[in-house]
Amino acid sequence: MLKKELSKRHIFGKVAAYTYIIEFQKRGLPHAHFLIILKQGSKMYSPQAYDRIVCAELPNCHHQPYLHSLVVKHMMHGPCGVMNPKCPCMRKNIGCKDKYPKEFNESTRHSSNSYPIYKRSDDKKTVKVRGHHLDNRWVVPYNPYLLSKFNCHLNVEVCSTVRAVKYIYKYIYKGHDKILYQLNKTQVDHSFDEIKSFVAARWISAPEAMWRIFAFDLNEIHPSVTLLQVHLENKHPLAFPENRPLESLLQNPTSSTTMLTEFFAMNRQDDHAKSLNCLYAEFPEHFVWNRTTKQWDHRKNKQVIGRLAPTHPSKGERYYLRMLLMHIRKPTSFHALKTIDGITYATFQQAADKLGLLQSDDAAELCLQEATLYQMPSSLRHLFAALLAYCTPTNPEKIWLKYQDSLSEDIHQDKSIDQANVEKIVLQIIHNYLQSMGKSLKDYGFSSFVPQRNIKQLIAKEIESEKSIPVLDVDLAALHQLNGDQRIAYDRIMNAVLNKKSEAFFVDGPGGTGKTFLYKTLLATIRSKGWIALATATSGVAASILPGGRTAHSRFKIPLYDDDAATCNVGKQSAIAHLIQNARLIIWEEASMAKRKSIEKFNEMLQDLMQTNLAFGGKIIVFGGDFRQTLPVVSKGHKQDIINASFVNSPLWRQLTKLRLQQNMRARKDPDFCTFLLNIGNGTQQINSSGEVDIPASMNIPFIDDDSSLETLINVVFPSMESFSINPAAVVNRAILMTRNDFVHEINDRLIEKFPGKKKTYLSFDQPIDSRDQRDTQDFLNSLTPKGMPPHELKLKRNCPIMLIRNINPTEGLSNGT
Ligand SMILES: Nc1ncnc2c1ncn2[C@@H]1O[C@H](COP(=O)(O)OP(=O)(O)OP(=O)(O)O)[C@@H](O)[C@H]1O
């Protein structure tokens, strides 16, 4: 009925789109979150327009007695705060999470990043709710018509800013609450399979069960969205049963038909489709995809929106194909998409360039041009490789030709090398940099470039660079400092290495028990004998701590994305394959943070290289980590998804020899802190009545007010900024963790002001797609802080710590996260 009021009777105006989700909470009663997007002519832009729909005041009890009684009954918040500290909205130190009571306001006005601030007059009118007298500051915004009609709690807000809209979307898509429970049964055989006993479960109350039994809608998006396939010619995914003969699959004509190929076919053969002159994205508005016949049928009713599957620029031609599909109407084939003004181009990229769809490479060029003024050729080559890898310029060869001289200046000095060879050498160096980032110069055009194929030379280079990793005396001497547990682990591992006995280990130790100390000792011992020991870690930061460390993903070319079919990209004849075959020991630190699939793919690659079915190809591997610390990151995953993705869930886990380190070496002088940390990790720390762990008072900074408490925290963590500027290493061991990006920016701003030295500010340049919008949108774009991007205003000082967010040069330790 509510849906009908909104979308059929248009009580708020003509509706362009809506989405809603039904939720069940607390005692299980259903409620809906509805987001309505109005059509252009109906959109509200002014506070006066908001007032026509939303009210946040008590109505007049004489003129509107019914409405007044409903507001009192359903729309008064709390009371909370001092009147009722136990109200469910109350949060420690913050007060009411919904920020009630609100302020009095003479009139409705815009607010910077949330819902509007509604009119709440200070008219001294109060009502008695749950034993307390409440005024207009406690009224939850409502719509008088809907409230009177439905006689229930119905909060109506105007989403006047992008942030408010994003918040609502988050609400709508956040999914259901889940709980995790463990089944304990009497063990007959005394074996307890920890993994199997974890089962994902959803709490369903009786009303929700009824809702589902009657198959009522739980959510809806209107218009619905059809996702359209985007693939290169004959490169579409095909699903088929495992035992189906490949021949029959190939003979089946529908094996080669997809949404895209049939879109082309319709544009060639169907008169209606031809007359529509559609873009691919518009096509589903008129035709519906029949999955069984794999054909587009004429759409009779229902409104839908078409969306092309997103593609990242790094996907090369597929990205440019998508771009063309977004702009070319009624294409009849892949070939037709490449044909512009009668000329057929070799690639989709060239066609897109010809159509003027590609951004100019100005920014990349300007950056290189500026750098040529003061940087040495070797740094310039690094920069050029980074620009290729991260800025995806549209015409890299053109930029290369323009700056070739500056990029080759040093090699040119060597008069024994002729011009043609200088070019080859410089391109090879750039190619090598790109390879360390998992890319190749070939990915960026450079059709005439032939990478150095002399495999013997490449093998020698890889082995040479591993063997040249310096062995530090302190790491060698550390052998005599190992504590009892470390010594046992060291002896077990070295015994396997010396006797070439295939075995895989897992070094399990809570933070600070000296895992890294042990790895460094092992690496030093083995390398000092002239043998190869590969040091890898899941994260770039951990890898940078180990001598010669690389991330496991980059070292073993493990696929980054969860693609079941993908394998480690290590050819049997490649230099890396030889390096792995020759390695006496492989260390993988922070394996607890790696996804089990990555480790399973690593195992398959080793079995393939070593031609054996033994676990990890019979190599001696030392995995390490601490499952009490960070687990694998599963995007938008719930606890159960994270547990499922963990190494412990892999069949390989059972094949590892577990070595335990227990003595905390980092905090030997603070045993209370050690015990506290360990208890948290083990889940044995006592919890309070709300199910939370109380942080001991000695570790807390008392809350006085936002400003002074934050200042105290900063002073405790960074007591002397002066000393850090002399000894930069001291500062990188300290950090303040925050829950939100805007808090991080606020603290970074404060810290950089305190840091000694002259401040330098770097500004980013934001550009809207349509340059005519530059004036209106620039400030807004500058205010955005998307993840993985530095802020618009980046303030730095010499020696201040920074964290890289790209793999600039992994071989030199400049990887993401370091
Ligand atoms: N046997 C030892 N003798 C002296 N110092 C040690 C010993 N073992 C470890 N340490 C020191 O203790 C500190 C913690 O060790 P380390 O960083 O190796 O622990 P970790 O288990 O890797 O910790 P985390 O899990 O937090 O990374 C380091 O400063 C290290 O030098």
Side-chain angles (χ1 to χ4, degrees), residues 481-483 486 511-517 629 665-666 668:
Q481 292 175 18
L482 299 180
N483 65 29
Q486 288 170 326
T513 47
K515 297 183 289 296
T516 315
F517 196 83
Q629 298 180 29
M665 304 300 286
R666 183 178 293 133
R668 273 169 295 180

Side-chain angles (χ1 to χ4, degrees), residues 84-298:
N84 178 13
K86 291 214 168 121
C87 187
C89 63
M90 290 298 284
R91 298 285 178 274
K92 235 189 222 171
N93 296 337
I94 303 173
C96 170
K97 75 175 170 53
D98 301 317
K99 308 252 180 329
Y100 279 93
K102 308 273 178 183
E103 304 268 300
F104 285 121
N105 289 298
E106 275 313 301
S107 57
T108 301
R109 57 194 159 88
H110 286 284
S111 125
S112 58
N113 56 13
S114 65
Y115 300 128
I117 299 166
Y118 302 105
K119 178 177 175 224
R120 294 171 191 271
S121 329
D122 186 5
D123 54 12
K124 312 289 181 233
K125 270 193 255 164
T126 58
V127 284
K128 196 166 179 194
V129 177
R130 292 174 276 276
H132 296 275
H133 289 280
L134 305 182
D135 53 29
N136 281 338
R137 291 173 304 164
W138 297 89
V139 178
V140 178
Y142 63 94
N143 172 266
Y145 171 75
L146 288 180
L147 181 60
S148 316
K149 172 132 193 161
F150 291 101
N151 186 2
C152 68
H153 178 86
L154 224 158
N155 176 204
V156 179
E157 302 265 3
V158 178
C159 299
S160 51
T161 65
V162 173
R163 264 193 196 207
V165 174
K166 272 163 71 176
Y167 173 74
I168 294 284
Y169 270 108
K170 183 182 121 190
Y171 227 115
I172 286 178
Y173 289 106
K174 79 179 164 43
H176 293 271
D177 291 343
K178 282 184 184 176
I179 59 152
L180 202 71
Y181 69 87
Q182 188 175 350
L183 292 182
N184 289 319
K185 60 174 181 180
T186 319
Q187 298 292 317
V188 182
D189 55 358
H190 297 288
S191 68
F192 175 61
D193 189 335
E194 207 178 330
I195 295 135
K196 275 197 189 140
S197 66
F198 277 102
V199 185
R202 197 165 61 226
W203 173 261
I204 291 192
S205 60
E208 181 169 359
M210 292 298 286
W211 197 281
R212 285 172 182 274
I213 290 167
F214 286 119
F216 294 148
D217 284 340
L218 275 163
N219 51 45
E220 190 184 335
I221 297 181
H222 178 84
S224 64
V225 176
T226 302
L227 193 69
L228 296 161
Q229 287 171 291
V230 177
H231 61 83
L232 295 173
E233 195 163 9
N234 293 328
K235 296 222 171 130
H236 54 280
L238 191 60
F240 53 89
E242 209 172 356
N243 47 8
R244 176 156 179 193
L246 281 179
E247 269 175 21
S248 87
L249 193 72
L250 291 175
Q251 279 157 12
N252 184 352
T254 60
S255 294
S256 54
T257 54
T258 66
M259 282 175 153
L260 182 57
T261 59
E262 288 314 282
F263 166 60
F264 293 146
M266 292 292 278
N267 287 333
R268 288 193 301 267
Q269 297 150 6
D270 186 281
D271 289 337
H272 181 49
K274 280 193 224 172
S275 68
L276 287 168
N277 194 28
C278 275
L279 285 175
Y280 189 27
E282 294 163 355
F283 203 64
E285 292 168 24
H286 310 280
F287 295 89
V288 56
W289 179 245
N290 186 329
R291 282 167 187 271
T292 327
T293 59
K294 290 186 124 187
Q295 274 178 345
W296 288 104
D297 298 333
H298 288 258

